[in-house]
Amino acid sequence: MTLGAVAITLFAMIEAGLTRNGEMPASLFVYAVLFGGLAMLAHVFIRYFAPWSDPLLLPLATLLNGLGIAMLWRLFEATGDTEQGSAQDQLILTAASMAVFAALVFFLKEPRTLQRYPYIMALAAVVLLLTPLLPIVGTSINGARQWVDLGFTSLQPSEFAKIALVVFLAGYMVTKRDVLALASRQVKIGPLKVLDLPRARDLAPMAAMWGFCIIVLVILMNDLGTALMLFGTFLAMIYVATHRSNWLVIGLTAFFGACALIYPFVSHFRVRMVTWLDAFRPDVFCTDEAMADPESFCQTAGNSQQLVQGLFAMAEGGMTGAGLGGGKPGFVPEVQNDFIFVAFGEELGLAGCMVMLMAMALLVERGMRIALASKELFIKMFASGISFLIAFQTFVVIGGVTRVIPMTGATIPFVAKGGSALLSSWVMLALLMRMSNNARKPAPQAIQDEGATQVISR
Amino acid sequence: MNKPIRRLAIFSLALFGVLMLNISWIQTFQAESLQEHPYNSRQFIESLTQHRGSILVGSEEVAYSDPVGGDSDQFQRKYENGTLYAPVVGAFRAGSATGIERAENSFLDGSNQLLAVNNFRDMLTGEEPKGADVYLTVDPEVQQAAMDGLDPLGKNGAAVALDPSTGAVLASYSTPSFDPNSVASVTDTEQAGKKWEELEASEQKPLLNRAFNEVYPPGSTFKVVTASAALEDGATPESTMDAPESLDLGAPLTNAWDASCNNGAPDSLAHSIEISCNTSMANWAIELGGQKMHEQAGAYGFNQGPMEVPVDVTESSAPLETDPNILGRNGIGQANVEATPLQMAMVASGVANDGDVMKPYLVDSVQNSNLEEVKAAQPEVFSEAVSSGTAEDLTQMMIGVTEGDEASGPAGAIPGMQVAGKTGTAETGTGHTHNWFISFAPADDPQVAVAVVVENGDQSGGELGAPIAKGMMEAVIDE
């Protein structure tokens, strides 16, 4: 299956090359050897070191990663425009990410050991999230302050912070789940029970989470995507831990309440909402006429060009798409980042989009299965948290570019250009595979044969 | 803990489900409207490298594509008599197009389904693909006459000529116009873009096709509609109505000459049309009532929403009105009645064509690059506005406008032939007047129906509009 994923990637590159330049991509051999070799190595590695892990995970990740490389190749190399990046960079980053993936699978034999350090993880997450605010190293790109410039490369620490945060939440909630689930005060209106309110002190972690998301991420860093993702994952995990919907009610109320409250004061938040709701208004799209009007919306802030051009690209794709290399993704500004999905929409059409979303969904659902299959609470929390993170991140990004929700700016796991995102995706995959391996590992044979003896397995 | 995890798994799937549904919606049902969205410039930019079809008037190519030459594989769009045809043909430039260039883009660039067979054949034979040619219904002589009549006035305005029996648009000119060559350069796009912005910003609005996309109060030309409603309601040309010096409709409504229309006696319908009496026609409108007026206007094409001919035509409106003060003014084409010049030409052509209004159209035929016709215009009846008897009565009344004893538009008369016309001088509320003339000729065998409007001409429609209409009618008849 992994071979199949590699073959699809190479075939995609050949198609793009033929359509764009009328010839086979000159560097195809390099890609075939490197990407194919890497994937095969990873496959063999898994066979050897995590033999019981879910067999679907690696091929799915390879497919998504490979399609991402093929699309970036088509966007940059095939057009000769490598200023914005190149597929080779992405290939090298993939290699590095796979190395980290292998190392994690190899060294982190028992992911549950992470349970021991919830507060260190929390601290790490906060520090990582805050580093872009530091002077000198912290940089803003396209208005969002979420990068750290290391000189030779820039990192997006929030990509790693979210993993650390899942570890923390899993560890913390496993310890506190009974308190969180049971200790509550009933709110009654007359004889009617309306809501179970958690005790004030149990609300503290949620309050901290909420405050952090709103104040730091939204107001200071203009990082709506991360805020939404982190808070969503937090709610999902607290729901898994407590199985109580009142936490969701409280969380959602607090989150949307805060959004409503800061709406008048935080201009970039307002801009996102307006470009989402009124994307086709002339002054939001910034037509020539609107540009000439000094009073219009586009004089003060961003515009909906990217969003609308993205929708036009999707529309151009239709059912089967223009074929890789046959579309005009150059119409969409910054298409290589979060809008890479519309490039797939244009060139692979509805059919291609569906395949990609299915692959994503499958990946997520296999992750959820790991959570179900595991017997340890921490692993259950951890696996479901990571799976949901992948699902929610995909939803936030693709929903943003297809105008389901406001655009927030995050990356599609495995597919989009960028080192941090790719690396964190492979880290998540490594964690899932290791947990999957441990959950599915059969109990030692010798003991099982002893009949009546009770086996206590992990 | 498995139950909440299962629920979370289902919720995750639901998230993907939402994405899938939304993408399906965008890429199937919404795709076409997105592709044709005015902001969507993809089809125009990429098509600079396509050999676009020509647009022809008569046998003359008024818009065609030439290879840029040199290293470039692009084509330069060129316009013959650009200023004359710009209001109809529009302009094709990097990023967008207007007029026929936009409306018939799928034929011109060869992407239309009807051209698929031809494209496939070209592909097999290795022939360079070329878009289809679009033949317009416009008659160069009539178009020229419209320009020659309007431009020397130095005012904004528009003129439309229709073939009443088919609905073919024989002329559609709007002044000031512009030269599409000045905005279409693909080698100097910066200069072209600057010029376009200049045109967009100009107060004279040269990019506005006033013939199709500007609405004016039609003034007294609308009395034809009022008279139609009266005749259809059982009145005869001899039926009379009070025609005093002034009517009290909120503010006083007077006649153009500040006197009664028939020395104080009730005036006949025919005489009221001939001299363009305001007070009697306002009384007719009030007596007929809002419903009948509204329906009659609708039958001529008002209130029917935007139309495509195939370029967009703005809706003309004559809202249902109950207040007699407003109704009276509506009856003489003031208050809230608004019409495009094309709409008033449709009124004239409806009367000319025995009461049947034909649907206007600009494209006569489309030919693919192998000179095979892929599409030809089929004249359609737009509506049956009035009975043929009413049309005959109206024609006789309108002949009086050009040759009666007290004719209000004698300048529209053509020697040796009967011309049916109606003048209009519409108050704009700014102290200025728009000057209208609608007509058709020959009255006994109409070949052309015309509407002319001159913005803020500040004279009468008979003085300013009629000579232009006359020139356009003559251009058809002299052929």
Side-chain angles (χ1 to χ4, degrees):
Chain A
M1 261 195 290
T2 314
L3 263 178
V6 173
I8 292 174
T9 303
L10 296 178
F11 178 73
M13 287 180 66
I14 294 173
E15 192 200 342
L18 285 176
T19 322
R20 296 297 311 175
N21 308 328
E23 57 188 39
M24 301 278 277
S27 47
L28 185 72
F29 184 70
V30 181
Y31 283 85
V33 170
L34 267 177
F35 186 67
L38 281 170
M40 282 303 107
L41 265 180
H43 183 77
V44 172
F45 182 86
I46 290 302
R47 267 297 160 88
Y48 198 74
F49 290 103
W52 291 285
S53 62
D54 192 314
L56 263 182
L57 291 175
L58 184 66
L60 287 171
T62 310
L63 174 69
L64 292 168
N65 198 156
L67 281 176
I69 291 181
M71 180 52 87
L72 289 171
W73 185 86
R74 176 257 174 278
L75 287 178
F76 300 127
E77 254 97 320
T79 52
D81 171 26
T82 48
E83 273 173 36
Q84 306 278 335
S86 75
Q88 276 164 24
D89 290 356
Q90 187 78 352
L91 187 65
I92 294 166
L93 289 167
T94 305
S97 305
M98 282 185 176
V100 173
F101 163 80
L104 260 179
V105 173
F106 185 76
F107 288 110
L108 192 69
K109 286 274 193 290
E110 287 293 353
R112 78 196 146 97
T113 49
L114 292 172
Q115 189 180 3
R116 294 176 204 152
Y117 321 108
Y119 294 102
I120 293 180
M121 284 294 172
L123 192 68
V126 172
V127 169
L128 280 171
L129 280 172
L130 290 180
T131 40
L133 283 179
L134 292 175
I136 307 168
V137 289
T139 39
S140 296
I141 299 181
N142 300 333
R145 197 173 174 93
Q146 38 176 282
W147 275 265
V148 173
D149 191 358
L150 295 180
F152 59 96
T153 179
S154 51
L155 279 178
Q156 211 175 336
S158 63
E159 291 286 344
F160 306 102
K162 64 194 188 193
I163 303 177
L165 199 86
V166 172
V167 178
F168 157 67
L169 289 174
Y172 177 83
M173 284 179 190
V174 165
T175 350
K176 297 277 171 71
R177 66 187 287 251
D178 291 338
V179 180
L180 291 173
L182 300 174
S184 65
R185 230 160 11 103
Q186 284 188 357
V187 176
K188 285 183 178 171
I189 298 177
L192 272 175
K193 196 178 96 173
V194 181
L195 200 66
D196 276 340
L197 265 189
R199 293 182 306 184
R201 60 179 151 155
D202 298 331
L203 275 170
M206 175 175 277
M209 190 74 201
W210 169 84
F212 191 80
C213 284
I214 296 293
I215 295 169
V216 179
L217 292 175
V218 176
I219 299 181
L220 292 179
M221 295 163 80
N222 186 15
D223 193 354
L224 297 164
T226 308
L228 192 59
M229 248 150 43
L230 293 187
F231 203 74
T233 309
F234 169 72
L235 282 184
M237 290 186 72
I238 203 167
Y239 175 72
V240 169
T242 62
H243 194 192
R244 299 188 69 120
S245 47
N246 54 352
W247 278 106
L248 297 182
V249 175
I250 298 165
L252 290 176
T253 313
F255 190 75
F256 287 113
C259 285
L261 212 70
I262 63 170
Y263 188 79
F265 306 109
V266 184
S267 70
H268 56 252
F269 183 47
R270 231 169 27 237
V271 168
R272 297 281 174 127
M273 289 301 283
V274 173
T275 47
W276 175 52
L277 291 171
D278 298 320
F280 286 91
R281 222 169 66 190
D283 62 326
V284 176
F285 179 76
C286 283
T287 55
D288 292 349
E289 267 170 73
M291 287 289 273
D293 178 7
E295 300 283 298
S296 75
F297 174 83
C298 61
Q299 297 298 326
T300 53
N303 57 47
S304 64
Q305 287 268 357
Q306 202 184 18
L307 184 60
V308 171
Q309 291 293 356
L311 290 176
F312 288 158
M314 302 273 299
E316 206 70 20
M319 284 296 287
T320 51
L324 260 181
K328 306 160 210 158
F331 273 94
V332 185
E334 297 275 318
V335 70
Q336 71 274 11
N337 294 327
D338 37 351
F339 271 77
I340 198 162
F341 189 77
V342 304
F344 283 106
E346 180 177 4
E347 305 210 322
L348 299 182
L350 182 59
C353 286
M354 285 295 172
V355 169
M356 293 191 68
L357 284 176
M358 301 271 214
M360 286 283 187
L362 208 53
L363 193 68
V364 168
E365 294 304 309
R366 299 304 284 202
M368 293 290 183
R369 272 179 71 95
I370 296 169
L372 287 174
S374 297
K375 296 185 184 69
E376 285 169 66
L377 292 183
F378 173 75
I379 299 293
K380 277 180 177 301
M381 294 286 304
F382 196 10
S384 57
I386 285 188
S387 305
F388 184 75
L389 186 60
I390 296 176
F392 198 54
Q393 188 166 350
T394 311
F395 176 76
V396 166
V397 181
I398 299 181
V401 302
T402 55
R403 215 171 161 225
V404 177
I405 57 167
M407 234 169 76
T408 50
T411 45
I412 311 175
F414 294 107
V415 181
K417 168 178 164 280
S420 325
L422 201 57
L423 182 53
S424 73
S425 303
W426 280 98
V427 167
M428 289 191 279
L429 191 76
L431 293 168
L432 282 179
M433 292 202 89
R434 179 41 82 185
M435 290 188 275
S436 154
N437 182 67
N438 294 359
R440 289 157 53 115
K441 184 158 65 183
Q445 201 66 36
I447 304 177
Q448 252 180 1
D449 286 344
E450 285 177 21
T453 310
Q454 184 95 35
V455 175
I456 302 169
S457 69
R458 310 196 249 255
Chain B
M1 203 181 265
N2 281 354
K3 201 168 175 189
I5 293 179
R6 280 207 187 88
R7 289 217 175 130
L8 191 64
I10 291 167
F11 178 67
S12 306
L13 264 190
L15 288 181
F16 282 102
V18 169
L19 291 181
M20 288 178 179
L21 278 179
N22 182 50
I23 291 165
S24 306
W25 172 253
I26 291 176
Q27 299 202 288
T28 54
F29 297 106
Q30 221 188 347
E32 201 178 321
S33 69
L34 281 172
Q35 279 168 358
E36 284 164 9
H37 196 278
Y39 296 165
N40 196 342
S41 57
R42 310 179 141 245
Q43 37 182 335
F44 299 110
I45 288 184
E46 196 75 355
S47 56
L48 289 179
T49 56
Q50 284 169 335
H51 193 175
R52 200 171 166 80
S54 303
I55 300 173
L56 294 97
V57 167
S59 56
E60 186 195 3
E61 287 189 321
V62 296
Y64 58 95
S65 289
D66 260 355
V68 169
D71 295 335
S72 174
D73 56 353
Q74 294 186 330
F75 287 88
Q76 174 64 56
R77 198 68 167 159
K78 293 185 174 164
Y79 297 91
E80 293 292 336
N81 273 324
T83 314
L84 177 60
Y85 294 111
V88 183
V89 169
F92 176 82
R93 35 182 221 108
S96 73
T98 55
I100 288 288
E101 292 274 32
R102 175 174 206 105
E104 295 291 276
N105 185 55
S106 68
F107 281 115
L108 292 165
D109 74 4
S111 64
N112 193 288
Q113 288 292 323
L114 292 176
L115 300 171
V117 176
N118 188 55
N119 291 345
F120 185 66
R121 202 164 46 198
D122 280 354
M123 200 182 77
L124 289 183
T125 57
E127 215 163 302
E128 277 292 297
K130 180 177 180 286
D133 295 336
V134 173
Y135 288 78
L136 300 185
T137 55
V138 172
D139 180 329
E141 308 269 338
V142 190
Q143 183 80 2
Q144 187 68 49
M147 185 189 205
D148 291 347
L150 279 168
D151 277 4
L153 299 178
K155 310 254 183 192
N156 298 348
V160 179
L162 298 175
D163 180 338
S165 60
T166 61
V169 178
L170 300 175
S172 166
Y173 184 67
S174 168
T175 186
S177 180
F178 67 101
D179 183 3
N181 290 307
S182 67
V183 296
S185 175
V186 296
T187 46
D188 189 357
T189 48
E190 197 177 328
Q191 184 58 34
K194 213 178 273 175
K195 178 72 186 170
W196 181 262
E197 279 167 31
E198 217 171 273
L199 292 173
E200 264 185 337
S202 166
E203 281 189 18
Q204 303 289 315
K205 296 190 186 169
L207 298 179
L208 173 67
N209 182 358
R210 294 175 161 79
F212 292 170
N213 302 120
E214 182 69 299
V215 286
Y216 305 94
S220 300
T221 56
F222 194 75
K223 287 173 186 164
V224 175
V225 178
T226 309
S228 301
L231 292 170
E232 290 284 287
D233 195 46
T236 65
E238 287 71 42
S239 303
T240 56
M241 189 59 76
D242 281 342
E245 188 179 336
S246 166
L247 281 183
D248 182 20
L249 300 177
L253 175 78
T254 61
N255 291 310
W257 49 89
D258 289 322
S260 64
C261 297
N262 193 19
N263 300 320
D267 197 19
S268 72
L269 193 52
H271 189 251
S272 293
I273 291 291
E274 179 178 331
I275 65 168
S276 200
C277 177
N278 284 346
T279 47
S280 64
M281 294 311 291
N283 276 332
W284 274 110
I286 294 165
E287 185 177 295
L288 288 162
Q291 188 61 36
K292 281 177 186 155
M293 287 295 292
H294 181 69
E295 276 168 15
Q296 185 61 59
Y300 275 114
F302 285 83
N303 313 315
Q304 305 298 320
M307 190 163 58
E308 287 175 358
V309 297
V311 301
D312 295 331
V313 176
T314 308
E315 178 182 35
S316 301
S317 61
L320 180 58
E321 198 53 69
T322 48
D323 180 345
N325 289 347
I326 299 174
L327 194 52
R329 291 178 193 278
N330 278 1
I332 60 165
Q334 299 281 173
N336 49 25
V337 176
E338 286 185 321
T340 58
L342 176 66
Q343 174 58 61
M344 292 320 293
M346 284 166 74
V347 171
S349 75
V351 176
N353 194 37
D354 285 339
D356 290 350
V357 180
M358 302 301 287
K359 186 180 183 325
Y361 63 92
L362 263 169
V363 176
D364 188 53
S365 65
V366 177
Q367 282 186 3
N368 67 20
S369 53
N370 292 322
L371 306 179
E372 295 158 345
E373 194 169 85
V374 284
K375 195 181 151 192
Q378 304 284 344
E380 298 171 43
V381 176
F382 177 83
S383 66
E384 291 166 17
V386 290
S387 69
S388 61
T390 301
E392 179 53 34
D393 287 343
L394 287 168
T395 305
Q396 292 307 322
M397 286 154 59
M398 287 169 72
I399 291 172
V401 172
T402 60
E403 52 187 53
D405 297 336
E406 298 169 72
S408 50
I414 300 173
M417 176 181 299
Q418 283 192 314
V419 176
K422 183 69 198 85
T423 57
T425 306
E427 285 171 17
T428 58
T430 57
H432 293 287
T433 57
H434 294 333
N435 305 123
W436 282 88
F437 194 74
I438 66 171
S439 63
F440 58 90
D444 53 353
D445 174 26
Q447 293 171 28
V448 57
V450 178
V452 177
V453 63
V454 178
E455 282 180 31
N456 300 325
D458 294 338
Q459 298 181 46
S460 75
E463 287 165 308
L464 266 192
I468 302 171
K470 179 188 173 196
M472 292 168 71
M473 290 186 292
E474 280 178 329
V476 177
I477 290 153
D478 289 352
E479 274 177 5

